[in-house]
Amino acid sequence: MAFETVLNRMTEAKVPDAAWPTDTYYIPKYKITGFFNGEGIELIHIPAAHTDGDTIVYFRYSDVISAGDVFRIDSYPVIDLERGGSIQGTIDGLNKILDIAIPQFRSQGGTYIVPGHGRLSDTGDVANYRNMVVKIRDRIQDMMKSRMTLQQVKAANPTLDYDGRFGSPDKFIEAVYRSLSQIH
C-alpha cells in the first residue's frame, strides 16, 4: 500500500511493474477494509514531510504507530525537497503522530511508535524530537530574517546543542533553509 504519489513517481521513473505498490490510496485517511492479523488498520497520509508520499500506519488494537521516515530517532530529519518534502510538513507529521498516540505516564509508555530508523519509541521521544526540529527551524528562520546566507547559517551552528546526538547537520540545515526560502 502506498499513497498514489508514490506510484505516480515510480511510473514516471519507469520502475519495473513488479516493484510498484499493489494498492494505492488518495484520501488523507484510509481504513483498510477487513482486518489484518485480527485488527483494524488506518493508513494516514502525511503530505510534504520526508516526501509528498509519506504514510503512517496505525495498528488500532495493538496501539502501535509505524511512522516510516516521518520520524526517525537516529539522525536529523531527511527532507527530500525535490519529492515534495518540507520542514513544515515534517513538523505537521510529527504533530499528527502525537495527536494519535496516547501516553501512559508523563509521556512515557503508552502507544508504541516504530520510527523509520532507530529504536522503538514512545510519545516522549516523538515530542522531544519534534521540539528539537521546531527549535532549529525557528533559529534558522530568525537567521534568514537577518538576511544570513546558507553558508552563514551553517557557520553559526544552529544545531550545535543537538549534533552530538544526531550527527552531521549539513543536509538538514540546507533542507530547512531551502524549505523556508520557498515560503518567503
Side-chain angles (χ1 to χ4, degrees):
M1 297 283 305
F3 193 72
E4 76 176 351
T5 55
V6 174
L7 178 61
N8 295 343
R9 196 172 292 112
M10 292 175 91
T11 54
E12 288 171 12
K14 300 192 184 333
V15 173
D17 298 2
W20 291 359
T22 56
D23 292 303
T24 60
Y25 70 102
Y26 60 91
I27 55 178
K29 188 176 187 179
Y30 181 75
K31 292 181 185 177
I32 295 180
T33 47
F35 287 81
F36 183 79
N37 284 344
E39 67 180 293
I41 296 175
E42 292 180 78
L43 303 177
I44 302 161
H45 178 235
I46 306 296
H50 167 64
T51 68
D52 61 4
D54 292 305
T55 296
I56 60 173
V57 182
Y58 177 40
F59 298 87
R60 294 169 52 166
Y61 180 75
S62 299
D63 198 21
V64 172
I65 298 170
S66 176
D69 283 337
V70 173
F71 170 61
R72 56 186 304 146
I73 197 80
D74 67 339
S75 72
Y76 290 109
V78 175
I79 302 170
D80 190 340
L81 298 170
E82 284 72 36
R83 289 184 176 77
S86 72
I87 184 60
Q88 190 56 51
T90 298
I91 293 166
D92 293 344
L94 295 167
N95 284 331
K96 184 65 171 180
I97 292 168
L98 291 170
D99 286 345
I100 297 167
I102 300 172
Q104 186 173 10
F105 180 72
R106 294 186 180 161
S107 296
Q108 302 299 307
T111 303
Y112 288 115
I113 299 155
V114 181
H117 303 269
R119 64 174 168 73
L120 187 62
S121 301
D122 58 23
T123 56
D125 296 316
V126 177
N128 289 335
Y129 192 80
R130 188 264 329 261
N131 293 345
M132 175 269 299
V133 172
V134 169
K135 283 178 189 175
I136 293 170
R137 188 260 335 251
D138 290 349
R139 290 173 184 172
I140 293 172
Q141 196 167 40
D142 287 344
M143 291 176 187
M144 290 175 70
K145 286 178 184 174
S146 298
R147 302 198 184 275
M148 292 176 76
T149 66
L150 174 59
Q151 280 63 37
Q152 290 170 325
V153 169
K154 284 183 177 181
N157 293 322
T159 61
L160 184 62
D161 44 341
Y162 297 102
D163 291 348
R165 168 80 174 86
F166 296 110
S168 175
D170 285 348
K171 289 181 181 179
F172 177 57
I173 292 172
E174 185 171 334
V176 172
Y177 189 94
R178 287 180 52 211
S179 180
L180 291 171
S181 294
Q182 293 172 356
I183 296 170
H184 296 96

